[in-house]
Amino acid sequence: MRLGHRAAHGLVVATVLAGTGCQTFVGIDDAAQHLPRLDGNYLVAIDRARAAPNSTVRDTIRMQGSATLDVDARTLDLSLNILPFGGGSPISETTINDIVFPDDSDEVAFVLDLTIPAGAINPTPTPSMTDLRINVPVIVIAEADYAFCAKPEQPASLPTLGSILVDGFTTLPATPDVDCDDELRQ
């Protein structure tokens, strides 16, 4: 009877060890190194407040373009066309390059530095020269398959950036995503 008990005990220990090894194999360590799929066409939008004295005015700057992720180098590059306020054909091209994710994370500190053409924001009230530039530190997040975003380093501030994967640029979603959707990272 003792031999049977030892054999059963050994089976339980082996099962626990196998289960533990499996959790390590597909656990947090692996998830932290994984970057989701991000290659594709996107509608990207930035929500930001204007400079004083118009700091209560918020603009949504819409862009369409492509994202390319080099998984080996962990580098995200965006090639975007800035769209006019109210819709229409692109009015300016821009790139956001060399967003390099660390080996152990799917988020990275980055300085978002863009020149915004006046036609991309509401002309009322008249934008100041400061309103035509975004230069702010953000956290860029590869938040899910085919979704990336950025939030300011300072919580509860602007700008924020969101993305929506699109099939093509002929029919863009009416409402852009302007922030990070992952509630655990808010």
Side-chain angles (χ1 to χ4, degrees):
M1 189 155 214
R2 286 184 176 243
L3 185 57
H5 174 69
R6 286 186 183 160
H9 178 70
L11 180 60
V12 170
V13 171
T15 302
V16 169
L17 290 175
T20 303
C22 182
Q23 288 173 350
T24 302
F25 182 71
V26 294
I28 294 171
D29 293 337
D30 295 325
Q33 294 177 5
H34 170 75
L35 286 177
R37 296 170 288 200
L38 296 176
D39 285 4
N41 296 324
Y42 289 88
L43 172 63
V44 176
I46 298 172
D47 180 31
R48 64 88 190 260
R50 292 215 187 160
N54 296 319
S55 56
T56 59
V57 176
R58 289 173 68 158
D59 292 310
T60 298
I61 299 139
R62 294 169 35 109
M63 298 172 280
Q64 68 183 27
S66 300
T68 306
L69 177 68
D70 180 333
V71 177
D72 295 329
R74 301 180 65 83
T75 303
L76 177 65
D77 293 317
L78 307 174
S79 177
L80 303 168
N81 294 309
I82 299 174
L83 300 172
F85 175 77
S89 298
I91 56 174
S92 177
E93 294 180 8
T94 192
T95 58
I96 303 172
N97 290 328
D98 299 324
I99 302 169
V100 181
F101 294 95
D103 288 338
D104 61 349
S105 182
D106 57 1
E107 55 184 68
V108 62
F110 185 79
V111 175
L112 182 61
D113 187 6
L114 295 172
T115 300
I116 308 301
I121 58 177
N122 190 338
T124 307
T126 304
S128 70
M129 291 305 292
T130 306
D131 295 326
L132 301 178
R133 178 95 189 262
I134 296 174
N135 187 328
V136 64
V138 295
I139 304 295
V140 176
I141 302 170
E143 63 179 339
D145 277 350
Y146 304 111
F148 56 89
C149 66
K151 63 183 182 178
E153 284 188 346
Q154 301 293 324
S157 66
L158 294 172
T160 59
L161 178 147
S163 66
I164 299 173
L165 182 70
V166 296
D167 288 331
F169 300 127
T170 54
T171 309
L172 294 174
T175 305
D177 183 352
V178 295
D179 58 18
C180 295
D181 300 321
D182 185 344
E183 294 178 8
L184 297 176
R185 299 192 212 212
Q186 297 292 330

